Amino acid sequence: MTVGILALQGNFSKHLEKLHALDCTALLVKYPEQLQEVDGLVLPGGESTCITLLMEKTGFHSAISEFAKEKPVFGTCAGLILMASEPNDERVNSLHLLDISVNRNGYGRQVHSGIHEIEALVNGRASTHQAMFIRAPKITKTGNNVSVLGKLNNDPVLVQQGHHLAACFHPEMSVDISIYSHFLEMISSKNLAHAV
Ligand code: GLN
């Protein structure tokens, strides 16, 4: 199994380290053609408006939309905004992969960044995680098909819909790598579903 990390802008290298720690083959995806080599894709944090412009310019927008029909995508922070059906900012051209509404920077600006303990259901186990929030989006609405896997003060911060996963926070900044193993599990079960 190979996992790609969209490497246009933002915090992509740290995701590579986490996936390597799980002995997973991972690669930085800089060209749309590389999507053919990967079984799942991480959309990193960064700036969703900037990533929008780069995705449109490079052909990634349509390439990822096509990829995501079959393959799992994991968006973190700006990546989550880019997956939301309602990003609520006209400068963000979302991929519409998750039925959620978001408020960009809903957890405050850079100075309000911090680590919060969240309650989550990861790999089927209830657990607490130290999650890093950096100018994080707040999820204000979730559709019926969206499972809320993680909460902070009763607000959803980790969500899954079908074969897509998204976090408001930055799992690449934590020591804990269980959220990545959850994503790898989603990819393998998708591959298994194809095999039968
Ligand atoms: N605030 C950024 C945005 O709206 C996301 C921040 C992040 O990814 N850490 O795109």
Side-chain angles (χ1 to χ4, degrees), residues 37-194:
E37 298 164 41
V38 302
D39 302 296
L41 183 70
V42 176
L43 301 180
E47 202 57 47
S48 51
T49 47
C50 177
I51 302 175
T52 286
L53 293 176
L54 292 168
M55 284 203 314
E56 285 174 345
K57 216 172 150 165
T58 52
F60 263 116
H61 196 279
S62 52
I64 298 174
S65 298
E66 203 46 44
F67 175 89
K69 287 183 187 162
E70 288 291 329
K71 307 263 175 78
V73 175
F74 176 21
T76 64
C77 208
L80 172 141
I81 300 168
L82 289 162
M83 294 171 79
S85 53
E86 293 176 17
N88 294 312
D89 188 323
E90 63 195 14
R91 293 166 298 175
V92 175
N93 182 6
S94 170
L95 297 156
H96 295 274
L97 303 180
L98 294 171
D99 189 9
I100 56 173
S101 187
V102 300
N103 176 12
R104 289 184 66 206
N105 300 325
Y107 285 98
R109 307 206 67 80
Q110 190 76 24
V111 287
H112 305 114
S113 302
I115 296 170
H116 299 286
E117 190 167 278
I118 64 158
E119 306 293 330
L121 189 69
V122 171
N123 294 315
R125 274 191 303 276
S127 42
T128 56
H129 298 256
Q130 303 299 317
M132 166 85 82
F133 287 72
I134 308 169
R135 294 180 298 110
K138 194 167 241 177
I139 299 175
T140 52
K141 240 190 307 179
T142 54
N144 291 338
N145 300 334
V146 177
S147 308
V148 176
L149 299 184
K151 281 187 180 178
L152 171 64
N153 302 331
N154 244 10
D155 288 316
V157 292
L158 179 67
V159 291
Q160 183 172 343
Q161 182 175 354
H163 56 278
H164 299 312
L165 180 71
C168 295
F169 52 92
H170 285 263
E172 79 281 11
M173 300 301 286
S174 299
V175 180
D176 185 352
I177 48 179
S178 58
I179 293 174
Y180 291 90
S181 69
H182 181 99
F183 183 55
L184 297 188
E185 199 51 55
M186 286 168 61
I187 300 174
S188 341
S189 52
K190 189 92 199 12
N191 288 345
L192 278 179
H194 271 277

